[in-house]
Amino acid sequence: MTAKTDWDPTKPILEIENLSISFFTRLREIPAVMDFSCTVMPGEAMGLVGESGCGKSTVALAVMRDLGKNGRIVGGSIKFKGRDLTTMSDEELRHIRGSEIAMIYQEPMASLNPAMKIGAQLAEVPMIHEGMAKEEAWKLARQIVADVRLPDPDRILRSYPHQLSGGQQQRIVIAMALMSKPALLILDEPTTALDVTVEAGIVDLVKDLGHKYGTSMLFISHNLGLVLEVCDRLCVMYSGEAVETGSIEQVFDKMQHPYTQALFRSIPLPGADKNSRPLVAIPGNFPLPHERPPGCNFGPRCSYFVKGRCDAQDIPMEDVPGSDRHATRCLRWQEIDWAAPPQVAAKTEKTKIGDVVLKMDDLRKYYEVSSGLFGGGAKKVVKANETLSFEAHEGETLAIVGESGCGKSTFAKVLMGLETATAGSIMLFDENVQSTPIQKRASDTVSKVQMVFQNPFDTLNPSMTVGRQIIRALEIFGEGNSDEERRNRMLELLDLVKLPRAFADRMPRQLSGGQKQRVGIARAFAGGAKIVVADEPVSALDVSVQAAVTDLLMEIQRKNKTTLLFISHDLSIVRYLSDRVMVMYLGHVVELGSTDQVFSPPYHPYTEALLSAVPIADTHVTKQRIVLEGDIPSAMNPPPGCPFQTRCRWKSQVPGGLCEREMPPLKTLAPGHQIKCHLADDVLNKMEPVIKIAAE
């Protein structure tokens, strides 16, 4: 073991100076990060923000000296506690990794051994890094499992990773990273795969543990709201470079780079309205590493670009006078009026809401599963959807929200005909399709109801051109009388989703994530769809691409009077997009109303917790902190009475244990606003707004 070095705690714990990283392929050197500098002080949390491919994770892996065979640091230095990591031997790095610098990855199962019990995996860390005795290491493991707020630590220590939920796995990975009380913790998108309610708990946990252990953090995320909640400072990256760095307040409220401004304009903040204040998408596409423009990397997409100046030279970082370590990589930052409102496209008329096109009445979907190994044992019933009743109108956007496992996607599969309902009715226009699987539905019915999936990468055939995939959908739906007519219609659909017609001859691998999602949308509208189920259609995309795809869906809806069923757990985008909101929990609809009704009190207690969990990238917003304890109960073994009672903070307000005994009735609070709750009206009326916007 090497002794921990003497180091002055008033100096930076991590100092990255003019770092350049390249990846070497057989054809060329690809510069991934150029001239990157950033400083993290002891106990400070630094956020690293930017779109996919900007180099955030590459910087983190460089700090860990884990760039693989092809990656190489080609310039600059990375100093940890005053020692340069780039010149250290493998032996020295082994003693620092895990004990002084720890990293938490995006996917928790990538860090856990599926064949080892949790306790053994945790105890292994101090035994290897600090030579701790086994008994003492197990005691420490139990204490840290309690620190990361997991219930019944002894049971958790005896469990295998697959026996834990995603949120519990991520807490174990955090516990593992903290076992040796590292001085620096690197978190690479640690909550991306988690529900917002679980994410809120993890964020609180990370902040509390950072304060408890005095750990410094490098927090990588594309979510500006999360960075606001976790970090003290942030660094905005674009195409391998730091373009702006400063404290949270400086960068959020006094931004000095066009890219930072463009990021904020492309995310829905409270008050944004799809008709009067639409989001402003960043034009163009992110440059590939070997196709970067001369001068400013952001130049081709920047509304302040001046030819002959911005593309004439490499742009250095400049300090913003009178500020605390606030710097920007922009030639024109002193000439720009940062307070000027954005040039908004013409306001659009609100889509006229028409007749009812979809009516679900008392819909239920149950699955039978066997409790034994290899299909043996008693049969158990999973109640995925319970007594689902609602209507959707022509031209309306109805959002369906809730955590994973609440029945959102099951309901979508039943509507599409991929599953058939156990009971109840689905009236699609004038036809009851409740028990008609998709194979037996008329092609006219199939073409009227289409779906846009969450992951655009999995929905396109990799061996077929974009144009051929859309033409194939037209053939199936019986559109067009000849190949030429279908080809012309395919080109019109590419126009509709704002893709160049030349993309018809491209393969899916030649498209970005946002472009693939547009192809998916074009295909969904190939048969003149009247109802489109959008299942988390923007959650896999960067924020700037999200804005473009969201506005595209709105524009198509206005043209075609489409009914949009928007499934999401991101309540920011739901508030911006939807006309009505349906909140689901454990197969039940617990609240249904207009967007304004659902987003203002009185709420269902679950809706209140969902709203509190949403990270909002606005320093003027204050929120109540309501972190839900525990996980969603199993649909195979739901709790008695109200499905939410095991996690509800208002349960004590209902006398006589009613919540534990009886299913609540669906009651109407106002015209069109229903909730399934036992709380008395006078208690509901005392609820305070979760989200408050302070006057500027």
Side-chain angles (χ1 to χ4, degrees), residues 296-309:
C296 176
N297 281 345
F298 188 58
R301 305 174 74 189
C302 179
S303 52
Y304 305 109
F305 179 78
V306 174
K307 197 167 171 53
R309 277 185 70 193

Side-chain angles (χ1 to χ4, degrees), residues 58 118 166 173 277 388 390 415 417 469 553 555 568 694:
T58 305
I118 296 296
V173 170
R277 286 175 59 191
L388 211 62
F390 72 93
L415 172 59
Q469 302 201 41
L553 280 170
E555 194 177 317
S568 182

Side-chain angles (χ1 to χ4, degrees), residues 15 19 62-65 72-80 82-94 96-97:
E15 200 170 6
L19 179 69
V63 174
M64 295 299 286
R65 287 288 308 278
R72 205 177 304 157
I73 293 168
V74 292
S77 64
I78 306 170
K79 287 182 181 163
F80 172 71
R83 299 171 67 202
D84 193 343
L85 295 171
T86 61
T87 58
M88 279 188 191
S89 67
D90 288 349
E91 181 64 24
E92 288 174 302
L93 285 168
R94 256 197 300 277
I96 283 180
R97 284 192 202 121

Side-chain angles (χ1 to χ4, degrees), residues 103-114:
M103 186 159 176
I104 296 168
Y105 295 90
Q106 184 169 343
E107 176 46 62
M109 275 309 285
S111 309
L112 295 173
N113 184 336

